[in-house]
Amino acid sequence: MDSELENQIGVTFEEDLDKMLPKCDIIVVNTLLTEKKVSAIMDTQAVVDGCNSGHIGGYSGDVWYPQPTPKDHPWRYMLNQAMTSHISRTTINAQLRYAAGVKDMLDNYFKGEEFHPNITL
């Protein structure tokens, strides 16, 4: 990355992943799943161990492995997780319903009201 652009947007390119990770507050992994690459990206148990030990502050994702996800999947019970619906390739109307449902849940949470498990997204 051009150093002038780095200064302009307030970032520093770090080529060495091992040097970069300790500096990060948030790490986002985005990758396309293809027929040639069908294995999981995250090590399920490593994520659980990291969240439960506090080494990882939290984990959020929208894809579970394997799918369909079993009821005893460890991500369902680990600390500091926020798994969301995977919404790529959905219609705009569906995304609007998801957004409205999430907003309703957050509004209820911040008002101290009960969570309504029958909300349809």
Side-chain angles (χ1 to χ4, degrees), residues 5-80:
L5 180 58
E6 285 183 354
N7 289 335
Q8 197 174 32
I9 60 176
V11 299
T12 303
F13 177 74
E14 178 64 70
E15 192 163 337
D16 185 329
L17 182 65
D18 290 330
K19 289 181 181 177
M20 180 191 74
L21 292 177
K23 299 175 185 178
C24 295
D25 291 324
I26 298 172
I27 299 168
V28 177
V29 178
N30 295 295
T31 186
L32 183 62
L33 182 64
T34 66
E35 288 183 23
K36 292 180 180 179
K37 181 177 53 65
V38 295
S39 63
I41 296 167
M42 307 306 282
D43 178 325
T44 298
Q45 193 57 50
V47 171
V48 172
D49 295 344
C51 284
N52 289 343
S53 71
H55 186 74
I56 298 174
Y59 179 82
S60 180
D62 70 347
V63 177
W64 297 69
Y65 183 82
Q67 289 188 355
T69 309
K71 290 182 179 180
D72 64 347
H73 194 286
W75 286 355
R76 295 183 188 273
Y77 308 101
M78 69 183 174
L79 299 174
N80 301 324

